Amino acid sequence: MKKLSVKLGVLFFIIIFGLITFMFFFLHNEIADSRIEEELQNLQSRGNSHRAILEKNFNDEMIDHVVLMESESNTDVVITNNSGEVLDSSAPFDTFKKYIEVPLSSIPRDGQVVEEKWNQEPYVATVSPIQINHEVTGYVYMFQDTVSFRSLIQKLNEHFLISGWISVVFTMVIIIFLSKGITKPLIKMKEATSQISKGNFSVSLPKTSDDELGDLANSIELLANDLNYLKQERNEFLASISHELRTPLTYIKGYADIVRKRNLPKEESNKYLTIIVEETNRLATLIKELFELAKLDQNSFIIEKEMIDLNKFFTKIDQRFSPIFNEKQMEFTMNCQQNLFLKADPLRLEQIIFNLLDNSMKYSANGAKISLMTWKNKNEIHIAIKDNGKGIPEKDLPYIFNRFYRVDKSRTRSLGGTGLGLAIVKELINAHGAEIVVKSKENIGTEFELIFKEEKK
Ligand code: ADP
């Protein structure tokens, strides 16, 4: 049994069949018992009415009259005196002999059933006492053939059997439709996932329900779309990488050939060799950054957070960058709020700040002003790096964190940019659970703001 629909169907059927059988059994017994009870009561009340007549006139004439009445019906009567001697009977007495108890124990005024085993005995019987002047003077025994009881129960059984079969067939049909209804979307989903595993991501599943099955179908579609997006992104990324690697390699090969083949004066060959070294450096940076991104993607890097005294941290950074700023005649100002602590990985935070300061320098002219500010607002710690450099055009702003995205490809290249710096910054910021916001105006300047949630020690 491999199919889910079959398993579900069989399970439902067993449960429902069990329930129906139990209910029918219970109902059948109830109906049969009450029908027999009713018949016995009828018999007894018939005996009681004979008894009432006989109590008025307990003589041969009246006894004959009662017996005559019963000989016409499907019940029988036996009338005895108070010591059990038979006075008269509507059928040969021998048939009823064994039911007539002698002596009879005290019998209630309304009479009682003396034989009720309709499925074992040929007759059921009741007895009613005849009382004249508060003294029992005789008994009216009533008998009914149990063949009628049996045929009654047989009819009942037939009805139950027919309705049982109808219920079973009806249940089976419903179960088949129900289990198919449940498993059909599952089969569709299974087909969709095997399509996805074969690389076909354009799957669409019918929106049948808004229950868990509908949610599952939506999730599968979402998964297919995400995989499709990832596949496209990976292809674009690979194309970019090969392009980025090819450019410096073309330079290196070209200039190396020139230096090797032509007999150039030393000064000129030095110029070419410098280009080769620069391009090699670029390649090394590119590969280092790609490796960094790969590690970030795999989540195989560890963020080791510790409490950082931001004042001390930025003083060290200032010392590192001051000579470079001086060389470029750039004005660097730092404005850090006192006693500010941030829980972060110091090496990663350094990497983020280096990247942003490096960009500010790269994309600002000599003599530009660059500033770094830190402050606390409610339970957020803000770090902002601002320059008055060339800025970023509004149309490029949404893309600057994408891998290999550069606003001005040719110029950036001459500045040594790989287009991976901000992508790495973004990943590191995400890993800290922080946020990065950029504001920029072309030819006015750029500001990157980092927002960290304050974490207590
Ligand atoms: P790159 O290695 O090219 O600098 P990044 O990912 O660091 O790559 O930056 C992406 C692009 O965003 C850069 O090519 C540049 O055009 C733009 N950019 C980044 N920072 C600044 C800035 N401070 N001022 C102007 N443009 C910037």
Side-chain angles (χ1 to χ4, degrees):
M1 260 202 295
K2 259 188 166 178
K3 281 192 165 180
L4 183 64
S5 61
V6 178
K7 281 186 191 167
L8 271 179
V10 170
L11 190 71
F12 281 167
F13 183 76
I14 291 173
I15 293 172
I16 293 174
F17 186 73
L19 274 175
I20 289 179
T21 315
F22 174 74
M23 271 161 48
F24 271 29
F25 179 74
F26 187 72
L27 207 67
H28 179 276
N29 282 359
E30 275 293 299
I31 294 175
D33 286 352
S34 69
R35 289 290 288 127
I36 285 161
E37 181 74 24
E38 205 178 301
E39 290 291 313
L40 283 170
Q41 266 175 14
N42 284 346
L43 191 67
Q44 193 167 319
S45 53
R46 204 173 164 85
N48 285 348
S49 60
H50 292 324
R51 186 261 323 268
I53 296 168
L54 289 169
E55 277 176 351
K56 278 183 193 150
N57 293 302
F58 193 46
N59 51 33
D60 289 347
E61 195 188 337
M62 201 45 87
I63 290 171
D64 280 350
H65 175 70
V66 169
V67 169
L68 189 71
M69 253 168 62
E70 282 306 323
S71 57
E72 297 298 318
S73 71
N74 61 347
T75 50
D76 283 297
V77 68
V78 173
I79 299 162
T80 67
N81 65 13
N82 59 354
S83 52
E85 275 168 43
V86 177
L87 302 176
D88 207 349
S89 165
S90 63
F93 171 65
D94 286 352
T95 331
F96 309 124
K97 206 173 170 184
K98 68 171 186 173
Y99 303 107
I100 294 176
E101 281 177 47
V102 182
L104 264 170
S105 49
S106 73
I107 297 180
R109 171 95 183 112
D110 279 343
Q112 74 179 34
V113 176
V114 284
E115 183 55 76
E116 59 180 356
K117 293 184 206 117
W118 60 271
N119 45 359
Q120 290 170 20
E121 295 290 331
Y123 291 96
V124 289
T126 64
V127 62
S128 311
I130 305 166
Q131 284 179 6
I132 296 170
N133 296 331
H134 302 289
E135 241 183 66
V136 176
T137 43
Y139 296 100
V140 177
Y141 283 90
M142 293 298 298
F143 295 90
Q144 187 170 343
D145 201 332
T146 51
V147 173
S148 63
F149 283 71
R150 284 198 203 96
S151 70
L152 182 90
I153 298 302
Q154 199 182 337
K155 259 192 204 141
L156 196 68
N157 288 351
E158 277 166 15
H159 288 158
F160 267 84
L161 209 67
I162 292 169
S163 36
W165 274 116
I166 292 174
S167 312
V168 166
V169 171
F170 195 63
T171 312
M172 274 167 80
V173 171
I174 289 182
I175 284 170
I176 288 169
F177 276 107
L178 251 177
S179 50
K180 281 249 162 43
I182 293 174
T183 50
K184 209 171 166 188
L186 284 176
I187 292 166
K188 283 242 156 68
M189 284 181 225
K190 189 199 135 221
E191 281 163 5
T193 47
S194 59
Q195 285 293 320
I196 293 172
S197 75
K198 280 178 197 150
N200 174 15
F201 301 121
S202 56
V203 294
S204 81
L205 290 161
K207 312 269 169 299
T208 43
S209 54
D210 60 355
D211 51 14
E212 287 86 346
L213 281 178
D215 287 350
L216 186 61
N218 285 342
S219 304
I220 290 175
E221 269 191 17
L222 206 70
L223 177 75
N225 289 341
D226 285 353
L227 285 173
N228 200 16
Y229 173 75
L230 280 177
K231 189 182 161 194
Q232 278 173 5
E233 218 191 26
R234 191 192 59 189
N235 289 347
E236 278 168 25
F237 186 55
L238 284 174
S240 304
I241 291 177
S242 54
H243 174 77
E244 295 297 328
L245 291 175
R246 208 179 310 122
T247 319
L249 280 175
T250 316
Y251 277 101
I252 293 169
K253 189 178 177 299
Y255 286 116
D257 275 347
I258 297 172
V259 175
R260 188 165 55 106
K261 283 184 194 150
R262 294 188 208 159
N263 225 345
L264 297 172
K266 193 163 177 30
E267 205 177 293
E268 209 174 330
S269 70
N270 269 351
K271 195 176 99 191
Y272 292 137
L273 285 173
T274 312
I275 297 175
I276 292 174
V277 170
E278 272 173 12
E279 291 300 325
T280 318
N281 283 342
R282 176 193 304 286
L283 262 182
T285 315
L286 189 68
I287 289 166
K288 194 182 119 224
E289 287 186 343
L290 277 173
F291 190 59
E292 188 81 14
L293 266 177
K295 274 200 293 183
L296 288 169
D297 273 351
Q298 280 177 5
N299 284 339
S300 60
F301 70 107
I302 308 160
I303 292 276
E304 282 172 5
K305 286 189 184 178
E306 56 183 75
M307 270 302 165
I308 304 170
D309 180 340
L310 287 182
N311 251 292
K312 275 190 193 161
F313 179 81
F314 284 119
T315 311
K316 261 208 256 163
I317 289 196
D318 186 23
Q319 283 165 1
R320 281 250 204 117
F321 272 83
S322 285
I324 315 169
F325 285 127
N326 286 341
E327 191 189 315
K328 299 196 170 191
Q329 290 123 42
M330 287 178 176
E331 193 185 307
F332 180 57
T333 49
M334 229 173 61
N335 193 346
C336 287
Q337 205 176 306
Q338 286 299 311
N339 288 327
L340 215 54
F341 288 86
L342 174 67
K343 195 157 188 197
D345 184 329
L347 286 176
R348 299 302 183 178
L349 185 64
E350 205 176 73
Q351 200 179 353
I352 294 168
I353 304 295
F354 274 18
N355 257 311
L356 295 177
L357 283 178
D358 189 50
N359 276 354
S360 289
M361 277 190 308
K362 266 196 299 192
Y363 304 110
S364 303
N366 280 3
K369 287 182 181 160
I370 298 170
S371 60
L372 192 152
M373 282 153 289
T374 57
W375 71 98
K376 187 175 157 183
N377 184 14
K378 290 177 189 154
N379 50 359
E380 286 175 346
I381 292 174
H382 297 246
I383 302 173
I385 292 171
K386 193 173 176 181
D387 64 56
N388 62 350
K390 66 195 283 273
I392 305 165
E394 209 180 323
K395 66 173 174 48
D396 294 295
L397 267 181
Y399 310 107
I400 56 164
F401 294 102
N402 289 359
R403 292 165 190 198
F404 295 117
Y405 194 84
R406 281 164 293 192
V407 174
D408 180 347
K409 284 210 189 295
S410 53
R411 258 212 76 208
T412 322
R413 194 166 192 291
S414 66
L415 295 169
T418 57
L420 292 175
L422 285 181
I424 293 174
V425 166
K426 178 94 178 165
E427 294 282 348
L428 290 174
I429 287 288
N430 285 350
H432 275 86
E435 219 186 303
I436 182 163
V437 186
V438 56
K439 284 180 230 154
S440 186
K441 276 229 151 69
E442 230 179 329
N443 300 323
I444 292 188
T446 307
E447 180 178 355
F448 283 95
E449 190 177 329
L450 316 178
I451 307 160
F452 291 85
K453 292 248 161 357
E454 192 184 25
E455 284 179 46
K456 300 282 172 215
K457 287 174 198 179

